[in-house]
Amino acid sequence: MSFNTLTKIIRLTPPGHGAVASTLLHGPHALTIFAQHWIGRELAVTDQPLFGRFRLETIGQNEEIVAHIPNQNEIEFHSHGGEMIAQAIESTLIQDGAGPVSWQEFFCAGKTQPQLALQLLPFAATERTTQILLDQYNGALDRELAEIEKLTGKNTKRLRFNRLKENAKLGKHLVQPFHVVLAGASNAGKSSLFNAILGFQRSIVNILAGTTRDVVSCQTALDGFPVIFYDTAGFRETPHELEQQGIERSRLSIANADLIVWVIDLTVPQSEQPNIPVLENILICFNKADVINSINPTNQEKQTKSEITGKNRITVSATTGQGLEILLEHIIRRLIPNPPKPFEAVPLVEWEIR
Ligand SMILES: Nc1nc2c(ncn2[C@@H]2O[C@H](COP(=O)(O)OP(=O)(O)OP(=O)(O)O)[C@@H](O)[C@H]2O)c(=O)[nH]1
Ligand SMILES: [Mg+2]
């Protein structure tokens, strides 16, 4: 029977290996839907646990269940944690009309900003993002809206609203890191730069081109904001299938990036470099400045840089660390041009917990 109602099914424990899987069925038909498969005492609101079995018609077996019914709209039940069982129960209830919803969506729906901030707080990865969430918990948005309402000048009002809109983009990154992808030609020094940024040898570095094949990632914090850096396979023509697959993954990473740091080897002439993708969210980074410094401080650099225009260009040396601080500053300012000040409102309209 399909109820086609607002009854929701929410997995409370993460999918995967575990002893117990906990699920919540919530909505006006929760008990009626569940009762169709229940073998045990009558389902009614009680503060006692109910022990029984769930009839799994699809596999012709019954699963042991402990259930709790705190009110007419809600039944929380616990089964064995194997993914097969948990999924079989879930799909049975979905077939009966329950709609699957993630626990994040369920618990955050309809919440005020302070309630949402409280819900998101455990997922804040840094002290700074925790502080921003605490400010939201303490009513930063309501305060700002009340102040804007009192303003008389149209322009000032608009500026304050625009600032709120700008800060709203940061909302989801309070719990979800920015994605910064290091990409470029093979041997440009992407892995070396990745390691220099992280401060340890996460990626393999080698003089041979085509060293990095898979996407290597590592999370860190920049200026108190969570950032995941991705080291990728370098772009070049190659007959090797494995490397081609790596290059395909580099393309995918670029497509999903908040910012791409395109690494260029200063010792290689421009004519031998792959084309730079025409993208808004790209930062050009010339690497191996130490080599240039030691041969001729101007000629080779000029030749390599000659055809590349635009203001977002940084020169570094992954080997000596020259320019690294400036590169990191540029990265963070591209991700967050104007970070919020203490107690400022950051509307939590867009968020995602992973
Ligand atoms: N002198 C100098 N050498 C560098 C610098 N950065 C990288 N190298 C060297 O360049 C070579 C390639 O470096 P990698 O970091 O493996 O380059 P990659 O871009 O990751 O290469 P693929 O993974 O093959 O695409 C290695 O021999 C590094 O030691 C630098 O700033 N200065
Ligand atoms: Mg590499």
Side-chain angles (χ1 to χ4, degrees):
M1 185 194 300
S2 176
F3 286 92
N4 205 10
T5 65
L6 293 172
T7 301
K8 308 262 187 291
I9 182 161
I10 304 108
R11 275 272 202 117
L12 301 175
T13 42
H17 298 292
V20 175
S22 301
T23 308
L24 178 67
L25 198 59
H26 184 280
H29 295 292
L31 297 194
T32 326
I33 291 177
F34 199 78
Q36 296 180 96
H37 310 278
W38 176 249
I39 307 166
R41 251 178 62 192
E42 192 196 344
L43 295 174
V45 178
T46 166
D47 54 6
Q48 299 293 315
L50 292 163
F51 298 91
R53 301 180 125 202
F54 189 97
R55 208 181 295 113
L56 280 166
E57 285 86 358
T58 42
I59 49 176
Q61 302 223 20
N62 302 328
E63 163 65 358
E64 303 290 338
I65 296 279
V66 181
H68 175 224
I69 307 178
N71 59 63
Q72 280 296 339
N73 280 337
E74 212 166 284
I75 173 161
E76 185 181 313
F77 59 92
H78 313 275
S79 63
H80 284 107
E83 197 45 31
M84 206 182 97
I85 293 293
Q87 259 185 26
I89 296 178
E90 193 176 335
S91 41
T92 303
L93 296 170
I94 290 171
Q95 268 179 18
D96 287 346
V101 167
S102 75
W103 69 264
Q104 294 95 333
E105 203 182 323
F106 180 76
F107 285 106
C108 294
K111 293 259 191 304
T112 62
Q113 289 281 304
Q115 286 168 335
L116 200 48
L118 193 62
Q119 203 84 52
L120 298 177
L121 256 175
F123 302 95
T126 67
E127 224 176 292
R128 185 162 188 181
T129 51
T130 305
Q131 188 55 57
I132 296 174
L133 280 171
L134 276 172
D135 290 342
Q136 310 319 304
Y137 172 67
N138 288 318
L141 183 62
D142 280 350
R143 260 196 318 274
E144 175 65 2
L145 290 175
E147 278 183 28
I148 292 177
E149 207 167 294
K150 279 190 226 144
L151 292 172
T152 46
K154 247 188 182 171
N155 261 354
T156 340
K157 261 190 178 175
R158 190 166 42 81
L159 284 175
R160 295 278 280 263
F161 268 124
N162 284 346
R163 177 64 180 156
L164 278 181
K165 267 206 309 216
E166 189 186 339
N167 279 349
K169 287 187 213 147
L170 181 63
K172 78 170 177 183
H173 291 294
L174 298 176
V175 288
Q176 191 188 316
F178 287 98
H179 298 273
V180 176
V181 172
L182 301 184
S186 49
N187 237 19
K190 301 175 297 299
S191 301
S192 306
L193 200 55
F194 179 71
N195 292 343
I197 290 170
L198 297 170
F200 73 106
Q201 301 302 304
R202 173 71 178 85
S203 246
I204 298 172
V205 167
N206 198 281
I207 196 160
L208 296 173
T211 303
T212 307
R213 298 287 170 93
D214 219 336
V215 179
V216 183
S217 65
C218 193
Q219 182 165 340
T220 185
L222 286 189
D223 203 20
F225 292 97
V227 178
I228 301 184
F229 279 93
Y230 295 86
D231 178 24
T232 58
F235 287 92
R236 68 164 179 165
E237 292 295 325
T238 173
H240 304 292
E241 204 205 316
L242 214 67
E243 200 180 340
Q244 286 167 1
Q245 279 190 34
I247 293 173
E248 197 41 48
R249 286 181 182 209
S250 303
R251 288 204 178 88
L252 279 175
S253 304
I254 287 178
N256 294 320
D258 293 301
L259 182 70
I260 300 127
V261 176
W262 188 265
V263 185
I264 294 175
D265 186 339
L266 271 175
T267 65
V268 175
Q270 168 71 23
S271 54
E272 292 168 30
Q273 306 269 0
N275 291 335
I276 305 169
V278 184
L279 293 166
E280 272 283 298
N281 57 338
I282 203 162
L283 180 63
I284 309 291
C285 176
F286 295 99
N287 187 34
K288 307 195 186 180
D290 58 302
V291 183
I292 295 300
N293 297 346
S294 65
I295 355 169
N296 179 336
T298 51
N299 281 354
Q300 179 80 26
E301 190 172 359
K302 266 192 192 153
Q303 188 198 341
T304 309
K305 285 182 176 177
S306 61
E307 290 173 29
I308 300 161
T309 53
K311 60 180 162 49
N312 292 304
R313 312 176 341 170
I314 325 286
T315 302
V316 300
S317 162
T319 305
T320 65
Q322 176 193 331
L324 210 62
E325 282 298 312
I326 300 172
L327 171 66
L328 294 179
E329 267 173 40
H330 271 75
I331 292 175
I332 196 69
R333 287 296 79 86
R334 285 288 298 271
L335 296 172
I336 313 166
N338 294 302
K341 304 203 170 39
F343 313 114
E344 205 178 324
V346 177
L348 304 169
V349 286
E350 226 191 288
W351 53 269
E352 193 181 329
I353 306 167
R354 286 202 180 149

